[in-house]
Amino acid sequence: MLRHWLLTSVAAGLCSCGWAGFPAVEPTQGEPWPAPSDLQLGDTALLIPMPDQLEFRVTGHSCDSLTAAISRYQAIVAGLAAPRPGRRRRPTGTPARRVSAELARVDVNLTTECSMPYPEFGMDESYRLEVASSGATSGLAALTADTLWGVLRGLETLVQLMYANGVGGLYVREASGSDGPRYSHRGILLDTARHFYPVTAIKDMLDVMAINKFNVFHWHIVDDQSFPFVSETFPALAEGGAYAEDMVYSQQQVQDIIEFARLRGIRVIPEFDTPGHTRSWGVGLPGFTTACYGADGQPDGSTGPVDPSNEDVYTMLSIFLTEISERFPDNYIHLGGDEVRFGFDCWLSNPQIVAWMQSLNITTPEEVENVFFQRLLDLVADIPGDVQYVVWQDAVDNNVTVRPDTIVEVWKGGWQVEMDKLTAQDLRVILSSPWYLDYISYGSDWHTYYDTEPESFGGSAQQNALVIGGEACMWSELVDETNLMARLWPRASAVAERLWSPKGTVRTDFTASRMEEHRCRMVKRGYKAQPANGPGFC
Amino acid sequence: MTHHYLLFTVLATWCLSHANCGFPNVNPTLGEPWPKPQQQVWDPALFRVDIDVVPFNITGETCADLEDAVSRYTNIIASFIAEFRGVTASRLYASGASHVGDDPPLLLEQIEVELRTACSEDQYPEYGMDESYSLTVNTGDALGRAVIAADTIWGAYRGLETMSQLFYYDPSGAVFVRSGSIVDFPRYSYRGFLLDTGRHFLSLDVIKQNLDLMAFHKYNVFHWHLVDDPSFPFYSVRFPLFVLGAFREDKIYSPDQVADVIEYARKRGIRVIPEMDTPGHTRSWNSYDILTRCYTDGEPDGTFGPLDPTNSSIYSLITDLLDEVTQRFPDRSVHIGGDEVSFGYDCWLSNPGVQAWMAERNYTTPQEVEAEYITNLLEVVAGLPEKPQYMVWQDVVDQGITIKEDAIVHVWKEPEWQAEMDKVTSLGHRTVLSSCWYLNKISYGIDWYKYYDCEPESFGGSAQQNELIIGGEACMWGEYVDDTNVVARSWPRAAAPAERLWSAKGANSHSEAASHHRLRDSANILSKFKLRIVRGVIFTYMLFTLYFYFTYIPTYCSNCRP
């Protein structure tokens, strides 16, 4: 019988191509993600003969941060060359590349001094990259950047131009040109209050952010449910409000995370959201939140937003936020300000607050919110140093007067109208409404994230210039360490490309193929990025 | 700077004695097993564990399988104890049960396992096996110990699992076991979980981890959807070229690996039912020349459709393949698919050879082609030396094809699954329900409620019809899952059907189900409703601790709130 089937199979002529299967989308080879703005990729490739010994030579300025990055990328290149367990044919539709040279060396030229810089809004992340397979510089990869940040982005692109051919060889594509981001603010929000994440999980996320050229970790560190941040000035906050004694971020750990992010060119913007979303604050500092009263005129045991009638609150916030501004080197603090209305009833139920409202001649909870938030902004203005802030759109929607250099984060539905409105008021905006990645649905939902264009609200060029970027948000009601990575990646990669690559980058079948490669790239580098495109394999 | 702490001095001091609270959505229970046993009577007596490794004592029949299981659970319980003893002093927990008493608690000395009939490694779990057991902990004549008693090894496995779920710890870091007695047995004999290794390859480690989690939830059937359109990872000894349809040479299950999975499952009381789905879903089978060539504009267009019905050799191939499969998989059942053939109808009709063949037979519709294939396939299966029982997807019955009376019909379509259950059972066929448990279809939120609330007998059939429902199956189709996310996506969502299929009918009623939406927004959860949600949550954390050895457990505290 066996012979019989061998005969028909040969007759069918179907198996000469080797291992096949039918993945939904074939991956590309050596296509970087997010797509560079101005980098020409050739159709020749260079063999990397001994990947674990590839030389990186620093030809310009250097500093510890740079040498640390080079060590990291050396290890990554060595990992890419690890023998693959199985062979496969070249993906359908991928042209065979002529291999015309060997890569001898990578030259890294940082043109200005770097000591121990901290990434900041508007930093220069551009770089030039030449990987030559002919001419005088054949066999050389030359990376040039004016800043450490540009070097970091360029190194990531360089390793993404590398691909294994399936029989143990590692190649790098010929490339020439430059690259730089479309938007300066490219963030991921992680909520560590609804569920706690150990530091290792946060570092893994930062590593994958760097793979995707994200540059802001918006750390939504506390919320109603828990207060894991250990404050020097108010240790009672975490002692009372954390889920558990060992579910906190110590001062050392916070510093460690900030440094880990810095080395990858990622800013850490902490969020301390008030006056709503503060239930956990009130455990350690019970006078901080409003006691809600029942219909019988007695406290009902529940708590509402920050108690705006308690003067201690403002003193406390002033001291606390001063500590935050000292401990987080970023120029910005996120002050929250969202969804205060959930607490309006509580405010109005409390006789002390009602009396306080009367003394101020105000009658609505919206006015209470404004009074509080105005005082908050005033006290932040008095913090030593130039502390700038980001707020959720609610504050501006409720007509709080914000500093002209405030950044407003748009998160609600109807975001196009909101973006139009805010930029018309000359405020800078970050978009996150379409990128709430905690909302899951069946299928290849990255398409939707990819296709969202922040400037589609039809504003003027001047308005568009005020769109400084966007954020993918991973709220943690239903996410923790067990599923964060798979739920975030590669879905957030779609957002990454929208925020980095030039305006007008559209999704095609080729994008899906690049996504297929990119998802497997993350898997091969050790991160559990989930399937993006339907059946297939890495 | 710490002097600023004094700002709120008075109230802050109050709080210090109530540290580390947080506000989780749902407080977990302590030591409530999942799925819920048929009968459980808790004794309020505290029963403490002072030893690091709780010894087991096999008092009845024994065999290597039982000893392996006992050793497994010895380790599971020891890990639990080691995880929590001493590290939890700061953690406050709200107890689902009340443990109040003046007397110092008794200490757990040992767990006895009494198996009443002989067991051996030749035993293979089968449909209708006896999985009942009883468990007595620190009550009656079992003071100071726990006794698991079962007539079969399958019951012993289930009892060991329940036993391991009765452990919990209190704020002082002390470990306790619930006292009480349990009499337990499954509502349905078929409690399945489908993994699809055709759309993404799953490593052996992940398949085994999933089998561990299945045993954790008393699932007893692993429905292995081995191959499908995208790939053919099953290495057939008889037809080795089939694996050319695998994604890659390392994306293949060798005969040894398949045997390894079967043995791993057997030792947990889990049957492995392989599926070889034809005549559709066979694109990856084209290593052998058995697929229909599709034509466009009178020319073959290079694409392929279902098995080619005009090629009579397909029947000898499928005979040999199923012969091999039924020999290598010891289960009496084999799943032969038969779903979604209609996707290939156009291809059949486009092919001149198929057209001529149809004309010879006076066929005018592709449904007739399908019916002839399936009818022949059923004859093939009937003639196999292993005499397997077969399972088919509902499509076969929907096409009006006559199947053997003891065939099992697998209902999977939505939304009219109740009408389908009614129809299939009216025809006298046994049935397995999957329609409401397609766990691959994700949505935002706490979606396990809807899986929990699906009641297989809700179609309003007669008692006789209900008896034909042999169980249900959670399906994790592989389009969007692989090693990276299959475990997190399957669990604890699959715990919901596990309880529906094991626990007594109506143990948790529809009126409770209707309350779910209120529950989400309500601060004052009725305790009766709370229990079942709560058990879901503790279960999640048990997963973390017992399977992933996580170093934390989210802490819950309600007694610290104002």
Side-chain angles (χ1 to χ4, degrees):
Chain A
M1 278 309 270
L2 180 58
R3 180 174 301 168
H4 167 69
W5 291 114
L6 280 168
L7 281 172
T8 56
S9 67
V10 172
L14 291 169
C15 11
S16 53
C17 53
W19 313 101
F22 299 94
V25 172
E26 295 279 0
T28 52
Q29 290 187 318
E31 283 288 334
W33 188 291
S37 60
D38 196 19
L39 189 67
Q40 278 70 51
L41 302 177
D43 48 16
T44 63
L46 294 82
L47 177 69
I48 305 175
M50 284 183 289
D52 52 345
Q53 291 168 39
L54 179 62
E55 183 192 356
F56 286 71
R57 179 186 292 178
V58 176
T59 60
H61 290 272
S62 187
C63 59
D64 289 351
S65 306
L66 180 68
T67 49
I70 286 173
S71 303
R72 261 194 335 268
Y73 280 98
Q74 273 173 326
I76 289 167
V77 173
L80 293 177
R84 295 270 299 278
R87 304 200 278 175
R88 69 162 296 179
R89 67 195 161 80
R90 182 160 43 79
T92 308
T94 309
R97 295 200 183 104
R98 194 164 49 85
V99 178
S100 56
E102 290 188 357
L103 180 66
R105 199 176 74 229
V106 179
D107 281 351
V108 179
N109 181 12
L110 173 58
T111 61
T112 61
E113 263 186 54
C114 79
S115 50
M116 205 178 121
Y118 185 78
E120 61 187 0
F121 175 72
M123 61 186 161
D124 177 3
E125 297 173 270
S126 66
Y127 62 91
R128 285 195 61 79
L129 185 59
E130 306 287 336
V131 183
S133 65
S134 60
T137 56
S138 176
L140 187 69
L143 170 63
T144 309
D146 290 342
T147 66
L148 173 66
W149 321 123
V151 171
L152 294 174
R153 305 299 171 241
L155 285 168
E156 182 56 46
T157 301
L158 177 64
V159 300
Q160 295 194 8
L161 294 174
M162 297 176 185
Y163 61 96
N165 72 343
V167 290
L170 186 69
Y171 298 87
V172 60
R173 295 184 67 181
E174 175 190 35
S176 172
S178 63
D179 187 18
R182 176 183 177 193
Y183 290 118
S184 183
H185 187 112
R186 304 180 308 279
I188 299 265
L189 175 149
L190 182 68
D191 160 14
T192 58
R194 268 64 176 243
H195 280 95
F196 178 82
Y197 296 81
V199 172
T200 51
I202 293 175
K203 286 183 175 177
D204 278 355
M205 185 188 78
L206 289 166
D207 265 331
V208 188
M209 283 173 66
I211 292 177
N212 290 276
K213 298 189 170 69
F214 276 105
N215 67 356
V216 176
F217 168 29
H218 173 173
W219 194 351
H220 186 86
I221 194 163
V222 302
D223 207 299
D224 280 330
Q225 288 78 5
S226 77
F227 199 107
F229 175 78
V230 177
S231 160
E232 273 177 67
T233 48
F234 296 95
L237 287 167
E239 282 166 12
Y243 277 139
E245 192 179 46
D246 53 351
M247 298 177 79
V248 295
Y249 302 106
S250 70
Q251 295 170 32
Q252 182 56 45
Q253 286 173 321
V254 168
Q255 203 181 330
D256 187 21
I257 286 169
I258 292 169
E259 176 64 4
F260 192 90
R262 184 188 73 79
L263 287 170
R264 285 153 184 79
I266 297 170
R267 305 160 57 197
V268 180
I269 299 183
E271 176 179 353
F272 287 92
D273 191 0
T274 62
H277 289 281
T278 50
R279 190 177 172 193
S280 67
W281 299 52
V283 184
L285 299 178
F288 187 78
T289 47
T290 305
C292 313
Y293 281 63
D296 58 357
Q298 297 300 315
D300 65 8
S302 66
T303 57
V306 174
D307 181 350
S309 70
N310 181 350
E311 281 301 314
D312 281 354
V313 160
Y314 303 102
T315 316
M316 179 271 169
L317 281 172
S318 176
I319 295 160
F320 179 73
L321 292 174
T322 301
E323 176 192 344
I324 299 307
S325 75
E326 286 164 0
R327 285 180 52 195
F328 288 84
D330 205 87
N331 290 336
Y332 285 85
I333 297 177
H334 201 304
L335 296 174
D338 60 318
E339 298 186 321
V340 188
R341 67 180 189 288
F342 294 155
F344 282 176
D345 287 347
C346 180
W347 270 343
L348 296 180
S349 77
N350 181 303
Q352 254 176 288
I353 289 178
V354 171
W356 172 81
M357 286 169 69
Q358 282 163 356
S359 73
L360 293 178
N361 260 335
I362 58 176
T363 53
T364 67
E366 287 82 1
E367 290 167 295
V368 177
E369 179 182 345
N370 274 357
V371 169
F372 171 80
F373 218 76
Q374 207 62 66
R375 286 198 62 176
L376 175 70
L377 298 185
D378 290 347
L379 71 85
V380 170
D382 289 340
I383 291 176
D386 183 28
V387 178
Q388 293 175 282
Y389 46 80
V390 186
V391 293
W392 295 109
Q393 69 176 77
D394 310 49
V396 180
D397 292 350
N398 294 338
N399 299 316
V400 173
T401 308
V402 296
R403 272 168 57 152
D405 61 355
T406 300
I407 294 172
V408 184
E409 182 158 11
V410 175
W411 67 278
K412 294 188 178 184
W415 60 268
Q416 283 150 318
V417 175
E418 182 77 8
M419 298 277 281
D420 192 20
K421 183 184 93 177
L422 294 170
T423 52
Q425 291 175 38
D426 222 19
L427 289 165
R428 290 178 299 169
V429 292
I430 298 167
L431 178 64
S432 59
S433 309
W435 294 316
Y436 266 38
L437 301 189
D438 54 317
Y439 289 133
I440 52 171
S441 59
Y442 184 69
S444 295
D445 58 359
W446 67 269
H447 294 176
T448 319
Y449 305 130
Y450 193 95
D451 295 346
T452 299
E453 168 50 52
E455 294 172 15
S456 60
F457 61 90
S460 64
Q462 206 177 355
Q463 283 179 291
N464 286 345
L466 291 164
V467 181
I468 62 164
E471 278 185 3
C473 296
M474 186 52 77
W475 299 100
S476 293
E477 281 88 348
L478 298 161
V479 182
D480 70 3
E481 190 192 9
T482 62
N483 57 352
L484 170 67
M485 281 307 244
R487 196 163 282 197
L488 192 52
W489 310 103
R491 294 161 75 231
S493 301
V495 184
E497 181 145 308
R498 180 55 58 220
L499 296 174
W500 176 279
S501 303
K503 184 176 182 179
T505 302
V506 294
R507 182 171 54 83
T508 63
D509 289 349
F510 186 62
T511 315
S513 289
R514 289 176 52 242
M515 173 59 95
E516 189 73 9
E517 178 187 14
H518 187 58
R519 178 258 163 166
C520 288
R521 169 183 290 142
M522 291 186 272
V523 170
K524 284 170 192 157
R525 279 167 69 169
Y527 307 104
K528 293 190 170 185
Q530 70 181 14
N533 291 319
F537 65 104
C538 289
Chain B
M1 291 285 270
T2 46
H3 64 272
H4 295 297
Y5 180 70
L6 297 176
L7 271 173
F8 295 86
T9 315
V10 177
L11 291 166
T13 309
W14 174 85
C15 186
L16 283 178
S17 58
H18 298 76
N20 295 137
C21 307
F23 298 98
N25 242 16
V26 177
N27 285 317
T29 51
L30 298 175
E32 284 282 332
W34 187 294
K36 187 180 181 183
Q38 296 279 345
Q39 301 164 25
Q40 56 185 25
V41 180
W42 299 125
D43 187 318
L46 275 180
F47 192 28
R48 216 172 76 206
V49 184
D50 253 11
I51 39 185
D52 294 333
V53 178
V54 181
F56 278 81
N57 183 10
I58 297 175
T59 59
E61 300 284 343
T62 189
C63 58
D65 287 348
L66 181 64
E67 280 153 25
D68 286 353
V70 160
S71 145
R72 232 170 29 238
Y73 282 100
T74 305
N75 291 335
I76 287 172
I77 291 168
S79 313
F80 181 88
I81 293 170
E83 181 78 30
F84 297 116
R85 176 161 288 151
V87 299
T88 55
S90 73
R91 293 176 168 163
L92 296 173
Y93 275 77
S95 170
S98 63
H99 298 294
V100 196
D102 296 331
D103 299 329
L106 291 176
L107 299 178
L108 175 65
E109 285 155 19
Q110 65 171 18
I111 299 169
E112 289 170 18
V113 182
E114 186 196 348
L115 176 57
R116 300 199 192 91
T117 59
C119 64
S120 75
E121 284 95 283
D122 303 334
Q123 281 177 300
Y124 186 80
E126 60 187 0
Y127 175 72
M129 60 186 161
D130 176 2
E131 296 172 90
S132 66
Y133 68 93
S134 68
L135 181 53
T136 314
V137 186
N138 192 37
T139 193
D141 56 5
L143 284 179
R145 62 205 169 102
V147 179
I148 302 166
D151 284 343
T152 66
I153 188 147
W154 322 123
Y157 289 156
R158 306 299 171 241
L160 284 164
E161 180 56 45
T162 302
M163 181 72 223
S164 74
Q165 297 188 13
L166 300 182
F167 287 77
Y168 67 96
Y169 58 99
D170 81 349
S172 72
V175 178
F176 292 91
V177 188
R178 296 290 293 274
S179 300
S181 54
I182 287 171
V183 174
D184 201 11
F185 50 88
R187 176 183 177 194
Y188 290 116
S189 182
Y190 187 110
R191 304 180 308 282
F193 190 103
L194 177 148
L195 281 179
D196 164 12
T197 56
R199 291 185 171 89
H200 278 98
F201 184 83
L202 296 171
S203 68
L204 234 54
D205 283 350
V206 165
I207 291 174
K208 287 180 176 178
Q209 195 177 18
N210 204 61
L211 287 166
D212 277 338
L213 284 156
M214 286 171 63
F216 200 143
H217 295 86
K218 302 186 170 67
Y219 275 103
N220 67 356
V221 176
F222 169 29
H223 173 176
W224 195 347
H225 187 84
L226 278 161
V227 301
D228 208 298
D229 283 327
S231 81
F232 198 112
F234 175 74
Y235 187 91
S236 160
V237 176
R238 204 86 57 96
F239 302 102
L241 292 186
F242 266 135
V243 290
L244 288 170
F247 284 132
R248 202 168 58 201
E249 68 186 60
D250 61 324
K251 305 290 186 192
I252 289 169
Y253 302 108
S254 72
D256 283 352
Q257 289 174 320
V258 169
D260 186 16
V261 168
I262 293 169
E263 176 67 1
Y264 196 88
R266 187 187 70 79
K267 295 183 84 163
R268 285 154 184 78
I270 297 171
R271 306 159 57 196
V272 183
I273 299 183
E275 177 177 352
M276 284 289 162
D277 191 0
T278 60
H281 289 282
T282 49
R283 188 175 169 201
S284 67
W285 295 45
N286 67 357
S287 306
Y288 297 93
D289 189 15
I290 52 177
L291 300 186
T292 307
R293 285 178 162 71
C294 314
Y295 280 63
T296 303
D297 301 330
E299 297 292 328
D301 62 14
T303 66
F304 293 84
L307 296 183
D308 181 354
T310 70
N311 180 351
S312 59
S313 62
I314 60 174
Y315 296 109
S316 51
L317 179 142
I318 201 84
T319 304
D320 287 355
L321 181 64
L322 288 176
D323 186 32
E324 176 185 345
V325 166
T326 53
Q327 283 182 42
R328 283 175 52 193
F329 288 82
D331 203 88
R332 280 215 57 214
S333 296
V334 61
H335 203 304
I336 54 174
D339 60 318
E340 297 185 323
V341 186
S342 59
F343 295 159
Y345 282 174
D346 285 347
C347 180
W348 271 344
L349 296 179
S350 76
N351 181 302
V354 175
Q355 286 166 8
W357 178 89
M358 287 172 68
E360 275 171 34
R361 286 163 168 72
N362 279 327
Y363 291 163
T364 53
T365 66
Q367 285 81 0
E368 291 165 294
V369 180
E370 178 182 350
E372 172 163 336
Y373 172 79
I374 298 281
T375 306
N376 290 341
L377 173 67
L378 297 183
E379 272 174 36
V380 162
V381 175
L384 290 173
E386 297 286 321
K387 300 285 169 219
Q389 287 183 324
Y390 57 81
M391 293 180 70
V392 290
W393 295 110
Q394 69 175 77
D395 311 49
V396 171
V397 176
D398 295 349
Q399 293 288 349
I401 297 164
T402 306
I403 58 174
K404 276 171 66 174
E405 198 169 329
D406 69 346
I408 294 165
V409 180
H410 199 156
V411 173
W412 67 276
K413 293 192 180 184
E414 280 223 284
E416 277 109 22
W417 64 268
Q418 284 154 318
E420 183 76 11
M421 295 286 281
D422 194 15
K423 182 177 95 180
V424 170
T425 52
S426 296
L427 290 167
H429 296 303
R430 288 182 299 168
T431 179
V432 168
L433 176 65
S434 278
S435 306
C436 17
W437 296 313
Y438 265 39
L439 302 186
N440 54 305
K441 302 273 189 177
I442 52 169
S443 59
Y444 181 70
I446 306 174
D447 59 357
W448 69 266
Y449 290 163
K450 72 178 182 220
Y451 304 127
Y452 194 93
D453 293 343
C454 178
E455 168 49 53
E457 294 176 8
S458 61
F459 62 89
S462 64
Q464 206 176 0
Q465 283 178 292
N466 285 345
E467 263 176 37
L468 290 166
I469 303 170
I470 63 168
E473 189 172 291
C475 296
M476 182 49 73
W477 293 102
E479 281 87 346
Y480 297 97
V481 293
D482 67 3
D483 279 3
T484 62
N485 60 348
V486 70
V487 170
R489 199 166 277 199
S490 298
W491 308 97
R493 294 159 75 232
E499 182 146 304
R500 179 60 56 222
L501 296 170
W502 177 280
S503 305
K505 182 180 180 183
N508 293 299
S509 70
H510 281 242
S511 59
E512 286 180 67
S515 302
H516 288 155
H517 293 284
R518 289 205 303 278
L519 290 187
R520 280 171 213 163
D521 300 319
S522 167
N524 300 309
I525 300 170
L526 294 172
S527 59
K528 183 179 163 199
F529 299 150
K530 188 172 164 184
L531 183 64
R532 91 178 213 218
I533 297 164
V534 150
R535 285 194 290 130
V537 174
I538 186 66
F539 156 73
T540 306
Y541 298 121
M542 286 166 58
L543 275 191
F544 297 168
T545 55
L546 296 182
Y547 278 83
F548 304 123
Y549 304 103
F550 279 5
T551 53
Y552 75 94
I553 274 223
T555 292
Y556 293 101
C557 161
S558 64
N559 50 352
C560 58
R561 290 181 203 159

